[in-house]
Amino acid sequence: MAASSVLPTYQRYINGAPVTSVGRKTLRLREKYIVLLVLGTFVAICIGTFFFLPELRSGSTINTAYRHIRDAGSDLLLPPPPHYADGGNVVRHHNVNNEDPHKEVDRAKLISKIQEDLERERQKNLKESMDKAQVEGPLVKNDQSHSSSSTETIVNALQGKSSDLLSQDKWLNNVGQLPMSVNKNDIGGLDLNDIVRDHTGGPGTRGGEPSDPDIREKRNKIKEMMKHAWDNYVQYAWGQNELRPLSKRGHSAGIFGKTALGASIVDGLSTLYIMELLDDYQKGRDWIAANLNLDVGNSEISVFETNIRFIGGLLSCYAMTGDVMFKEKAEHVAQKLLPAFNTPTGIPYAIVNLKSGASKNYAWASSSSSILAEFGTLHLEFVYLSDITGNPVYKEKVNHIRDFLSKMDKPQGLFPNYLNPKTGRWGQHHMSMGALGDSFYEYLLKSWIQSNGEDVQALQMYQELAEAINDKLVQTSKGGMKYLADLKYDRIEHKMDHLACFAGGLFAIGSDYMPPNRKDYYLQLGKDITHTCHESYDRTATKLGPESFRFTEASEARAMKQNEKYYIQRPEVIESYFVLWRVTKDPKYRQWGWEAAQAIDKHCRVDGGFSGLKNVYMTDSAKDDVQQSFFLAETLKYLYLLFSEDDLIPLDSWVLNTEAHPLPIKGKNSAYKTTS
Ligand code: DMJ
């Protein structure tokens, strides 16, 4: 057949089936000569190669390959082959230290770079101290001394003067204080990551050890609570979103969809890092590197929750450690949220499908609206993400939301909680500093802080809204307590959510940025709101506060309805204790925080972690069997920071997102690196 005649003779296929050869089986003489000639040439080439290539003659191909790979740069680190390290028979050391000259040069550059930074830092501190001394008198504490000595320790170690080089913890402690300007690109390839597992450390992410033994003990107790929560999650729910501490299994709240995305790992990681639980941190980090992938699964996730917990958590770890894996993962997650912004107004939907990108709003939301606290709580993360990736798309999305809102009418001077993303019209006029509204206001102030004064629009909106909140929402009870009520059209509802208790801290931080004649007022308002929230805790049997509390003729700061009496490990009250402690240094905030920590340990702790309570007014309350991811991210972090010195996450160089993930302040924190 014509088709078979063009195929090679060793095997023929016709229509896919092999056909047995039917020709002669022996070779002719001329064919035998050709075969011999080919074989002879092949053998000659092999022998020639062996004699003429020196690398192969030298005896150790393994060592040579190792040397080539090692010389290729510090990114390709391999352990030396067994007999290379102790000399072996092919030693090619270039210097007395038995070290590659490339690395020597890189190390010298690193040392001189650090020394330059050290000198610059010293000069700066000296100048600052002198300036301060002129204003405040001679008793100015130079709180950079720790940082400088840490840097010196690293320089010594790099110069081989210190045997501490091998202690990972000491390295991490010290590297955490390094000026962030020392990075791989500056020093021709030698990265600190080559020495200490990817940690380059943002400033102020280490330390905070209190000198007072009592406070130190409390801080250690909080760390132990974190360990208990984390270890049980690891044991019973690793890779799941959250832990069910009573039934000892995984749990996924609706906001995470049905895919296991390791929410507690991503959300808890910045706390582990700050608490220096570094082995646990590393385990979580490695899980994220290997497993966090939103391309798998066909579930619907909350845009807001994914932003504050996942993108916020990842960006914070990136800023604190310099590990680019976190930046890449953050961008991967952010990409998944972008389809939600495809609406006629650019106001995003609340929920997005991971697979199809199809987006929608919650069925319960008034007039199919998006929620103010959700689409208004993306700014910090999206702006920072654009700045560190050089991809403007994220920043454009949130700037558009802000511009859109700034042109909207404000009933009663406030933004309602519901906005229809198709029509651009408000839904129900429900205004609140609690659920549905809260973190929108928070992100206006924090965007101003994060931008180091560039985002003037955010400050103006915050200042105006603070006054409107003060006029319309702030109430004074019969007993003299200040609280934040809800407003529905013209009707005041005398109920305050636990969620709204963050406002104590917000007004206190914001007081610095109000006009001069309003500063004191807002600081006092922050203190008063925090006092009220403490009362809501103190008036329960468990000393933990309810989800919402009301003010009536008969009772104040107490929940009235059954469905308001639960406690789901929320952080807002403790968040305000922390901020007020930093701002005022009044010891009562530490005392209140300690009361809350003890109450959590007493009523929420179980063998398998920490659970929420169904009724804070009963000491034997039933438990809800959920360990919230924000318990790790926020509640325990705020408690830990409350019992730490201020040099841990200093608030003049870090701003905490609404999930308590620290993000750097532009221009004030060298961890804020802009890629243009
Ligand atoms: C957290 O996820 C965040 O603090 C958010 O802003 C509000 N709710 C929870 C904690 O209560």
Side-chain angles (χ1 to χ4, degrees):
M1 287 156 70
S4 65
S5 63
V6 294
L7 293 171
T9 51
Y10 55 86
Q11 184 70 75
R12 291 188 175 98
Y13 287 84
I14 297 172
N15 292 338
V19 175
T20 325
S21 174
V22 287
R24 69 191 160 78
K25 296 202 165 73
T26 53
L27 295 174
R28 291 203 183 94
L29 190 60
R30 207 176 56 178
E31 290 169 342
K32 285 180 185 161
Y33 282 139
I34 291 171
V35 170
L36 275 175
L37 194 64
V38 170
L39 279 175
T41 311
F42 178 71
V43 171
I45 289 171
C46 289
I47 293 169
T49 306
F50 186 78
F51 280 105
F52 291 109
L53 287 183
E55 298 284 349
L56 290 177
R57 254 186 316 165
S58 71
S60 171
T61 53
I62 296 172
N63 284 333
T64 307
Y66 162 71
R67 234 180 26 255
H68 282 313
I69 293 170
R70 189 208 56 192
D71 291 350
S74 51
D75 285 339
L76 277 172
L77 282 181
L78 288 180
H83 59 284
Y84 188 86
D86 55 68
N89 55 1
V90 282
V91 176
R92 282 180 176 75
H93 298 317
H94 302 284
N95 56 40
V96 283
N97 294 327
N98 292 348
E99 224 181 14
D100 182 314
H102 297 98
K103 246 186 166 168
E104 284 270 290
V105 171
D106 287 345
R107 180 161 300 174
K109 283 185 191 165
L110 175 61
I111 291 168
S112 90
K113 174 79 184 156
I114 293 172
Q115 279 170 335
E116 271 172 33
D117 279 331
L118 184 60
E119 189 48 39
R120 232 191 337 266
E121 206 176 278
R122 272 200 191 116
Q123 297 291 345
K124 198 174 132 243
N125 292 337
L126 194 64
K127 187 171 175 307
E128 275 173 12
S129 298
M130 285 168 72
D131 289 349
K132 269 190 184 172
Q134 278 174 0
V135 180
E136 298 170 12
L139 284 174
V140 177
K141 177 174 147 229
N142 183 352
D143 56 6
Q144 299 293 329
S145 55
H146 173 63
S147 162
S148 299
S149 68
S150 298
T151 313
E152 274 164 352
T153 308
I154 291 171
V155 173
N156 287 341
L158 284 162
Q159 287 174 325
K161 290 182 196 158
S162 163
S163 58
D164 284 352
L165 192 61
L166 296 177
S167 152
Q168 187 214 343
D169 277 1
K170 282 188 182 156
W171 260 104
L172 291 170
N173 273 328
N174 292 321
V175 169
Q177 303 298 329
L178 259 182
M180 282 297 282
S181 54
V182 178
N183 70 31
K184 191 169 184 161
N185 298 331
D186 294 340
I187 52 171
L190 179 64
D191 192 348
L192 289 164
N193 293 352
D194 296 340
I195 310 164
V196 265
R197 297 194 310 196
D198 293 336
H199 301 266
T200 53
T205 59
R206 286 282 174 272
E209 177 90 8
S211 47
D212 179 337
D214 174 53
I215 302 297
R216 211 164 43 229
E217 202 180 305
K218 289 177 170 138
R219 187 187 194 236
N220 284 339
K221 173 64 190 172
I222 307 301
K223 191 166 170 176
E224 183 279 326
M225 288 167 73
M226 178 70 184
K227 192 79 180 111
H228 181 67
W230 173 259
D231 284 349
N232 278 290
Y233 168 76
V234 171
Q235 187 173 355
Y236 299 115
W238 185 239
Q240 304 293 308
N241 289 321
E242 288 175 323
L243 165 70
R244 284 199 178 278
L246 291 174
S247 40
K248 297 184 175 171
R249 62 193 161 98
H251 165 69
S252 194
I255 52 170
F256 303 120
K258 51 184 189 290
T259 312
L261 299 171
S264 293
I265 302 174
V266 185
D267 221 8
L269 209 61
S270 66
T271 305
L272 292 172
Y273 189 75
I274 288 168
M275 290 184 178
E276 300 186 42
L277 290 166
L278 295 174
D279 288 337
D280 299 302
Y281 162 82
Q282 190 67 32
K283 185 178 171 68
R285 183 256 171 227
D286 292 346
W287 185 91
I288 291 171
N291 299 295
L292 184 64
N293 179 6
L294 273 62
D295 289 330
V296 297
N298 181 15
S299 53
E300 290 175 337
I301 55 166
S302 155
V303 172
F304 157 75
E305 299 287 0
T306 307
N307 176 58
I308 64 169
R309 301 189 199 209
F310 284 78
I311 300 180
L314 294 164
L315 289 177
S316 182
C317 287
Y318 169 65
M320 290 198 291
T321 68
D323 183 342
V324 290
M325 183 277 294
F326 290 118
K327 177 171 72 169
E328 287 160 9
K329 293 285 181 182
E331 188 162 29
H332 160 70
V333 177
Q335 285 286 329
K336 286 286 170 188
L337 304 187
L338 290 183
F341 291 77
N342 294 331
T343 64
T345 56
I347 299 294
Y349 286 114
I351 305 164
V352 64
N353 183 294
L354 283 178
K355 195 167 186 183
S356 65
S359 305
K360 61 183 181 187
N361 276 335
Y362 296 111
W364 52 261
S366 157
S367 326
S368 303
S369 290
S370 304
I371 311 285
L372 182 68
E374 299 203 334
F375 63 78
T377 310
L378 305 167
H379 212 95
L380 294 180
E381 295 82 4
F382 275 44
V383 166
Y384 181 49
L385 186 59
S386 275
D387 281 350
I388 57 173
T389 59
N391 184 350
V393 69
Y394 314 108
K395 201 187 243 184
E396 284 162 12
K397 300 285 182 204
V398 291
N399 282 341
H400 175 79
I401 295 174
R402 175 83 71 61
D403 289 341
F404 190 92
L405 282 176
S406 71
K407 292 183 195 116
M408 289 289 286
D409 61 307
K410 295 202 287 289
Q412 317 235 30
L414 290 163
F415 287 112
N417 294 337
Y418 300 105
L419 180 62
N420 186 311
K422 288 188 183 149
T423 63
R425 294 213 191 94
W426 296 123
Q428 187 197 26
H429 289 189
H430 172 200
M431 281 76 104
S432 170
M433 278 294 272
L436 311 177
D438 49 8
S439 44
F440 161 70
Y441 302 97
E442 177 184 359
Y443 269 34
L444 288 175
L445 179 66
K446 289 187 174 175
S447 294
W448 158 256
I449 293 173
Q450 179 194 40
S451 72
N452 196 14
E454 277 175 23
D455 194 347
V456 178
Q457 181 191 41
L459 179 66
Q460 279 169 354
M461 286 171 80
Y462 173 79
Q463 287 176 335
E464 267 180 40
L465 287 163
E467 294 293 3
I469 290 164
N470 183 49
D471 283 352
K472 307 285 179 186
L473 304 184
V474 172
Q475 308 287 319
T476 307
S477 75
K478 240 173 105 189
M481 272 188 262
K482 294 266 189 206
Y483 61 97
L484 283 155
D486 277 13
L487 185 62
K488 289 187 178 154
Y489 293 96
D490 289 333
R491 192 175 63 81
I492 282 278
E493 193 181 4
H494 294 274
K495 174 205 79 154
M496 180 167 175
D497 290 339
H498 189 292
L499 286 164
C501 284
F502 85 100
L506 185 79
F507 289 135
I509 299 179
S511 64
D512 254 357
Y513 308 104
M514 294 303 282
N517 61 337
R518 301 296 282 155
K519 286 180 195 291
D520 290 350
Y521 175 82
Y522 278 98
L523 179 55
Q524 188 56 47
L525 182 61
K527 292 179 193 173
D528 291 345
I529 297 282
T530 306
H531 167 79
T532 302
C533 292
H534 174 251
E535 286 298 311
S536 78
Y537 273 49
D538 206 39
R539 296 175 185 211
T540 69
T542 55
K543 302 295 171 197
L544 291 167
E547 178 68 1
S548 302
F549 44 94
R550 292 179 184 263
F551 295 83
T552 66
E553 288 292 312
S555 105
E556 299 199 341
R558 282 179 63 94
M560 308 295 283
K561 301 182 181 176
Q562 201 50 41
N563 65 1
E564 296 169 343
K565 294 182 178 167
Y566 62 87
Y567 170 71
I568 54 168
Q569 312 174 331
R570 287 198 190 278
E572 292 78 12
V573 175
I574 295 167
E575 172 181 352
S576 284
Y577 296 162
F578 158 68
V579 173
L580 265 298
W581 161 252
R582 283 277 175 107
V583 173
T584 67
K585 287 288 172 297
D586 185 334
K588 79 177 173 203
Y589 296 113
R590 276 187 163 168
Q591 189 194 319
W592 291 353
W594 185 238
E595 285 168 13
Q598 284 177 300
I600 292 171
D601 209 44
K602 182 168 176 194
H603 297 286
C604 302
R605 190 182 185 118
V606 292
D607 272 359
F610 289 91
S611 166
L613 304 176
K614 291 191 175 168
N615 187 342
V616 290
Y617 298 97
M618 293 167 66
T619 47
D620 59 348
S621 163
K623 297 188 169 60
D624 69 5
D625 197 16
V626 178
Q627 179 174 285
Q628 305 281 343
S629 82
F630 55 67
F631 181 66
L632 310 179
E634 296 190 78
T635 312
L636 292 174
K637 187 188 284 131
Y638 282 127
L639 280 169
Y640 186 76
L641 290 175
L642 178 63
F643 297 112
S644 298
E645 296 297 327
D646 297 3
D647 62 348
L648 183 60
I649 312 296
L651 296 181
D652 55 3
S653 55
W654 295 95
V655 59
L656 278 71
N657 88 337
T658 193
E659 191 76 1
H661 297 303
L663 297 174
I665 296 177
K666 196 175 174 181
K668 287 191 175 170
N669 186 331
S670 50
Y672 202 116
K673 294 199 199 91
T674 308
T675 309
S676 46

